[in-house]
């Protein structure tokens, strides 16, 4: 089994911005009411953007393996999200997505059958899709001081 650990570090700034460091990149999340140039997508939009980007990356890899000439690829994603739980309104609904719809539009001379096979493999191998459709163990802890970590 080959594994890769992915790390990010996020922190809130005094201008109501949340910044995430990923490798040597700064990712801005949510609105910045003071400086509109510093606005970024919401966390939910980042999940969907990551999903689209993963379909693109895996799609190109699989196309190369299947000898499919993929001239371009468009990925449209739409998701339904109930905001009641997020807003503290009592509900039995989950806080996450209720539905995610994906439309993949490859530009290629490959046959429809070959593109269907390609898409099946992309879905099977896409780690973001895997994490969206399967439970993943998550542990959350709180550090009240640099030395203390308390499990939530």
């Amino acid at each position: 089994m080959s594994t890769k650990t992915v790390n990010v570090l996020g922190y809130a700034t005094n201008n109501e911005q949340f910044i995430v460091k990923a490798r040597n990149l700064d990712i801005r999340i949510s609105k910045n009411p003071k400086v509109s140039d510093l606005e970024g997508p919401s966390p939910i939009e980042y999940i969907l953007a990551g999903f689209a980007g993963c379909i693109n990356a895996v799609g190109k890899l699989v196309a190369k393996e299947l000898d499919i000439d993929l001239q371009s690829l468009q990925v449209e994603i739409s998701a339904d999200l109930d905001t009641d739980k997020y807003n503290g309104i009592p509900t039995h609904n989950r806080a996450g997505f209720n539905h995610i719809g994906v439309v993949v539009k490859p530009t290629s001379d490959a046959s429809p059958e070959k593109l269907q096979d390609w898409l099946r493999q992309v879905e099977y191998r896409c780690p973001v899709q895997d994490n969206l459709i399967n439970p993943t163990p998550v542990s959350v802890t709180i550090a009240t001081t640099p030395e203390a970590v308390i499990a939530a």
Side-chain angles (χ1 to χ4, degrees):
M1 178 174 84
S2 301
T3 61
K4 175 182 178 180
T5 301
V6 178
N7 295 300
V8 298
L9 170 66
Y11 59 92
T13 63
N14 60 359
N15 62 6
E16 300 183 35
Q17 187 87 69
F18 191 75
I19 306 293
V20 176
K21 295 273 191 189
R23 296 187 327 256
N24 62 343
L25 304 169
D26 285 352
I27 303 168
R28 298 183 189 285
I29 298 178
S30 293
K31 297 193 181 293
N32 184 321
K34 296 178 183 175
V35 184
S36 62
D37 288 348
L38 298 179
E39 286 189 12
S42 72
I44 296 301
E45 291 165 327
Y46 266 113
I47 290 172
L48 299 179
F51 189 15
C54 194
I55 289 170
N56 174 68
V58 175
K60 288 179 178 178
L61 178 69
V62 172
K64 186 175 181 180
E65 292 171 0
L66 296 177
D67 198 30
I68 292 175
D69 181 21
L70 197 59
Q71 290 108 28
S72 69
L73 180 60
Q74 183 175 333
V75 181
E76 297 176 11
I77 301 181
S78 179
D80 298 326
L81 182 70
D82 184 328
T83 59
D84 284 351
K85 188 170 279 186
Y86 168 80
N87 288 314
I89 298 168
T91 181
H92 293 291
N93 295 331
R94 55 185 299 211
F97 296 116
N98 297 320
H99 175 263
I100 299 173
V102 181
V103 178
V104 180
K105 297 179 180 179
T107 301
S108 174
D109 292 334
S111 71
E113 295 80 15
K114 194 162 189 178
L115 288 174
Q116 279 298 102
D117 181 48
W118 165 80
L119 184 57
R120 274 191 292 277
Q121 289 190 44
V122 170
E123 286 187 274
Y124 177 73
R125 293 169 58 177
C126 178
V128 175
Q129 177 164 321
D130 181 81
N131 275 277
L132 287 169
I133 63 174
N134 294 303
T136 301
V138 176
S139 59
V140 178
T141 57
I142 185 169
T144 55
T145 66
E147 300 81 31
V149 175
I150 303 167

